[in-house]
């Protein structure tokens, strides 16, 4: 298997068909269907997400332990591809922009590639202004100082990692929540992983009007801070 696409999921049946379709579109430009897989790491959905994922050509990996990070770790650990691409199930990221990430790992030797929303484009209404101008820039700056890296967007959910790079850090990653995004970078830097960056687009997500996002600004921000300053 050359490529695995991992999609963490909690009650995303309404958005999964389009997200999985875009993942297929990106992967099929690079490989035959037998050379890639799509894993939906389901975190206990009760809205038919599992059935929707399977209907659209994804393999479902059940992850009992709750949390965004736990779901991603479960999907990453189940991945069989030499390169693993991940992004959220809500449609805020376009998997079709990940082909460059895959090529950077396969052809240029990067161990990890992170999307850069600030170097790319953020659609109107896609990110609260408090996150865009305060939260993410400040936390990313703290992360750069703490880990001595030039990664601009620590919290971007569209990213890729080689199977070998993930294997090297997987035993040290134990974050269950959104802070996994920071932990993953910190552990990779510690292992001297070569990290690349690609400008990407952040879209307004596909969720129906009134459906709340999983992100919790203050608790999740605090978890990132604890990860930056108090992790080993």
């Amino acid at each position: 298997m050359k490529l695995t696409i991992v999609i963490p999921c909690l009650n995303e049946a309404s958005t999964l068909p389009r997200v999985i379709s875009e993942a297929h579109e990106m992967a099929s430009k690079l490989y035959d269907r037998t050379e890639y897989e799509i894993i939906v790491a389901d975190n206990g959905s009760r809205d038919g997400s599992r059935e929707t994922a399977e209907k659209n050509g994804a393999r479902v990996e059940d992850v009992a332990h709750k949390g965004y990070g736990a779901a991603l770790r479960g999907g990453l650990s189940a991945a069989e591809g030499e390169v693993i691409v991940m992004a959220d199930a809500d449609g805020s990221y376009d998997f079709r922009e990940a082909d460059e990430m895959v090529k950077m790992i396969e052809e240029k030797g990067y161990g990890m590639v992170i999307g850069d929303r600030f170097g790319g484009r953020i659609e109107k209404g896609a990110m609260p202004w408090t996150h865009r101008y305060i939260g993410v820039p400040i936390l990313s700056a703290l992360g750069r100082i703490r880990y001595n890296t030039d990664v601009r967007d620590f919290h971007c959910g569209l990213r890729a990692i080689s199977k070998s790079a993930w294997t090297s850090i997987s035993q040290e990653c134990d974050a269950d929540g959104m802070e996994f995004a920071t932990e993953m970078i910190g552990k990779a830097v510690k292992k001297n992983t070569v990290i690349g960056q690609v400008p990407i687009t952040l879209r307004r997500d596909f969720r129906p009007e009134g459906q709340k996002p999983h992100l919790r600004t203050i608790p999740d921000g605090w978890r990132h801070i604890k990860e930056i300053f108090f992790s080993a």
Side-chain angles (χ1 to χ4, degrees):
M1 192 72 66
K2 293 184 177 180
L3 173 67
T4 298
I5 295 168
V6 174
I7 307 172
C9 174
L10 176 60
N11 297 322
E12 309 282 7
S14 64
T15 61
L16 275 175
R18 185 173 169 185
V19 171
I20 294 174
S21 175
E22 291 177 348
H24 277 298
E25 186 176 342
M26 182 275 291
S28 63
K29 289 181 179 179
L30 301 173
Y31 309 109
D32 293 333
R33 183 63 185 90
T34 57
E35 297 177 307
Y36 75 87
E37 63 177 351
I38 298 174
I39 294 177
V40 170
D42 190 72
N43 212 198
S45 298
R46 297 182 178 181
D47 68 339
S49 290
R50 181 188 185 92
E51 295 76 13
T52 300
E54 292 175 340
K55 181 179 179 180
N56 286 273
R59 172 163 66 92
V60 176
E61 184 73 20
D62 291 315
V63 182
H65 198 70
K66 299 300 182 184
Y68 173 80
L72 268 178
R73 288 190 289 110
L76 285 161
S77 296
E80 298 180 3
E82 296 171 8
V83 178
I84 309 168
V85 172
M86 67 208 80
D88 301 347
D90 63 5
S92 52
Y93 298 102
D94 189 341
F95 273 111
R96 293 172 296 185
E97 294 188 329
D99 58 344
E100 181 63 24
M101 296 181 173
V102 177
K103 292 174 183 177
M104 288 174 68
I105 291 175
E106 286 194 333
E107 300 173 7
K108 299 181 180 179
Y110 288 92
M112 181 188 292
V113 182
I114 308 292
D116 178 11
R117 296 169 293 182
F118 298 97
R121 186 169 71 93
I122 300 175
E123 290 185 356
K124 184 177 180 180
M127 182 187 291
W129 71 268
T130 52
H131 296 189
R132 182 171 183 174
Y133 298 108
I134 302 174
V136 177
I138 290 176
L139 290 173
S140 293
L142 292 174
R144 285 192 293 274
I145 295 169
R146 169 69 169 81
Y147 302 118
N148 190 27
T149 179
D150 64 352
V151 173
R152 292 183 292 270
D153 187 358
F154 263 66
H155 303 159
C156 183
L158 179 59
R159 53 182 67 189
I161 188 170
S162 69
K163 180 67 171 178
S164 59
W166 168 245
T167 299
S168 74
I169 67 172
S170 60
Q171 296 302 311
E172 298 183 33
C173 291
D174 58 7
D176 292 332
M178 296 290 183
E179 75 278 10
F180 175 71
T182 295
E183 178 186 58
M184 191 180 190
I185 295 171
K187 300 303 184 185
V189 171
K190 183 179 177 182
K191 294 289 185 178
N192 297 314
T193 303
V194 180
I195 301 176
Q197 302 177 74
V198 174
I200 59 99
T201 301
L202 180 69
R203 307 185 294 198
R204 289 180 63 94
D205 66 53
F206 301 160
R207 290 190 179 103
E209 192 71 28
Q211 185 174 341
K212 294 181 179 180
H214 300 307
L215 184 65
R216 301 172 301 159
T217 300
I218 295 177
D220 289 331
W222 174 238
R223 292 176 77 130
H224 281 289
I225 289 173
K226 288 196 294 183
E227 179 63 37
I228 292 170
F229 288 108
F230 303 111
S231 64

